[in-house]
Amino acid sequence: MAKKIPLYQLAHARTGDKGNRSNISVIAYRVEDFPILLRELTVERVKDHFSFRKPSAVKRYELENLKALNFVIDDVLDGGVNLSLNLDSHGKSLSYWLLAMEIDVG
């Protein structure tokens, strides 16, 4: 039976934003959990998780030495921080949303 847990139990995140692009790095707390991140955090799953923001593209970069994944997500900030009328469209809040994603740990 598959066991699902929120991503934040295995990793933390750092983020930034520029224009209408969010950059979210997900870093494993433990080296042995990095393969789970590689398997579970696919481009498709991340794009689907952010589907309510209608991202035009998601790119994943693997940082093996850091046991981290970096996601660049385009068009998720409502035109960018300076153009948006949202209360908080910064990338920081989106990193918390990603950390809430449920992943399968087997």
Side-chain angles (χ1 to χ4, degrees), residues 56-91:
S56 63
V58 175
K59 294 178 188 153
R60 180 177 103 163
Y61 299 92
E62 298 174 12
L63 305 161
E64 179 70 33
N65 291 341
L66 300 175
K67 304 304 179 213
L69 298 172
N70 185 47
F71 292 94
V72 178
I73 309 171
D74 290 332
D75 301 315
V76 292
L77 297 176
D78 293 332
V81 174
N82 294 330
L83 295 177
S84 175
L85 297 177
N86 280 335
L87 182 60
D88 183 9
S89 64
H90 293 250

Side-chain angles (χ1 to χ4, degrees), residues 25-66:
S25 293
V26 178
I27 306 106
Y29 289 126
R30 302 178 322 150
V31 170
E32 56 268 25
D33 292 332
F34 186 59
I36 297 170
L37 301 184
L38 287 169
R39 181 188 72 230
E40 293 293 310
L41 297 178
T42 64
V43 167
E44 294 78 18
R45 284 203 64 207
V46 171
K47 189 171 185 179
D48 184 57
H49 193 69
F50 285 98
S51 63
F52 72 101
R53 301 295 300 214
K54 298 179 180 60
S56 63
V58 175
K59 294 178 188 153
R60 180 177 103 163
Y61 299 92
E62 298 174 12
L63 305 161
E64 179 70 33
N65 291 341
L66 300 175

Side-chain angles (χ1 to χ4, degrees), residues 1-4 104-106:
M1 178 180 238
K3 179 181 176 191
K4 293 198 175 272
D104 184 1
V105 292

